Amino acid sequence: MALMPHWQMHPGTGPYLLLVHGFLMGPNQWHPNLAALGAVCQPVVVDLLGHGRSPAPAQPDCYRPEAYVEAFETIRQALRTEQWLLCGFSIGAGLTVRYALLHPQRIIGHAFTNSTSALADAAQVARWEAEGEASAARILAGGHKAIERIPVHPRRAKQIDSASRALVLADAARLKPQGIANTIRYTTPEASVRNELGANQRPALLLNGIRERRFQAHRQFIADHMPHVRIVDLEAGHAVNLEAAAAFNQALAEFIECPTS
């Protein structure tokens, strides 16, 4: 991988936990969770390319899910730990679950939240592939104004508290158009692990926001096809860790302390 994403350790006790945020988000997404999680693990926050403090390289291969898996392995090696935990949000879940499937011996367990990209079927992937170049061109031409028009931009997040909203909007102000365009082109269409879920070997936890109705069919697919998974339904929409922070923190902390129960 030509350029590594930025990553940062946070105070904590216990095994390392890699936290991977979602599209158009950033490291501040985890602000309501770090203190509580630090009681049971050592959080490690990584910024996707084009997000946060990460670079926005032009090379397509940097953005492919396999390159992120390689980057996560590099981070693990830098931490000098044989095993760690993972938690991915939205598109980040597609990346962390892929890592868990490819490197089961390297993880204690892995958690993830609602993720349409991670569970996309062939028809959805085909639509993203067909629309990707035009969407990327709009981002490159329009810059931040075009990014703000993306439907999942955090400025439309109305269900999170004002302090968290201010923090994620601060992250959004640092988004890099080249990186966002390349994420649309090269990460999103390849992020699905739907057809590989049956190969999961390690304890897994889905933290499901039940108010995101379009994801609930995917929740059922996970329940039916993914071995070793525990599902916790939370009273939240897509931004589970922000909308139901206390319940999210409790469920994830319990999983970290006892992933196999």
Side-chain angles (χ1 to χ4, degrees):
M1 186 171 182
L3 289 170
M4 279 286 295
H6 180 273
W7 58 280
Q8 181 179 357
M9 288 179 55
H10 290 267
T13 301
Y16 292 107
L17 169 70
L18 183 71
L19 294 162
V20 185
H21 65 77
F23 183 55
L24 304 187
M25 301 294 279
N28 281 326
Q29 179 189 322
W30 305 110
H31 179 77
N33 316 117
L34 292 174
L37 295 178
V40 294
C41 69
Q42 298 179 73
V44 180
V45 174
V46 65
D47 302 352
L48 297 178
L49 296 174
H51 299 69
R53 285 169 283 182
S54 283
Q59 304 98 307
D61 285 350
C62 294
Y63 295 84
R64 300 193 188 281
E66 293 80 3
Y68 276 110
V69 169
E70 181 181 339
F72 298 164
E73 258 296 272
T74 300
I75 295 170
R76 183 194 62 79
Q77 292 165 8
L79 294 170
R80 299 185 178 182
T81 184
E82 288 298 315
Q83 288 188 313
W84 58 348
L85 297 129
L86 313 173
C87 181
F89 170 90
S90 195
I91 196 172
L95 304 176
T96 58
V97 174
R98 184 179 299 272
Y99 178 100
L101 296 172
L102 291 174
H103 297 289
Q105 75 281 9
R106 296 302 184 194
I107 66 165
I108 302 164
H110 60 117
F112 59 103
T113 70
N114 300 30
S115 176
T116 299
S117 51
L119 274 293
D121 59 19
Q124 179 63 71
V125 171
R127 285 193 291 273
W128 284 333
E129 290 175 338
E131 299 166 358
E133 282 301 325
S135 297
R138 287 193 294 271
I139 299 301
L140 293 173
H144 275 271
K145 289 186 177 180
I147 292 172
E148 290 178 357
R149 288 194 288 271
I150 297 174
V152 296
H153 192 281
R155 72 191 183 95
R156 296 182 177 83
K158 305 298 185 184
Q159 304 302 316
I160 62 177
D161 64 87
S162 58
S164 294
R165 190 168 188 271
L167 287 170
V168 297
L169 288 177
D171 279 341
R174 295 193 293 179
L175 295 170
K176 303 165 185 70
Q178 176 74 75
I180 302 311
N182 281 349
T183 299
I184 291 170
R185 285 169 167 150
Y186 309 118
T187 311
T188 302
E190 299 181 17
S192 180
V193 290
R194 182 183 184 90
N195 294 331
E196 288 79 45
L197 290 180
N200 180 59
Q201 300 178 36
R202 304 301 295 155
L205 172 68
L206 168 62
L207 295 149
N208 173 51
I210 61 174
R211 292 206 300 266
E212 186 181 22
R213 294 182 181 178
R214 68 172 184 169
F215 185 73
Q216 300 316 299
H218 294 316
R219 178 210 183 278
Q220 189 60 50
F221 184 91
I222 291 166
D224 292 342
H225 294 90
M226 187 176 190
H228 312 297
V229 69
R230 184 190 318 170
I231 300 177
V232 175
D233 293 319
L234 300 177
E235 195 62 46
H238 184 70
V240 183
N241 71 299
L242 294 169
E243 295 178 32
F248 174 93
N249 295 342
Q250 180 179 345
L252 183 51
E254 289 174 354
F255 177 75
I256 291 168
E257 291 186 300
C258 192
T260 58
S261 65

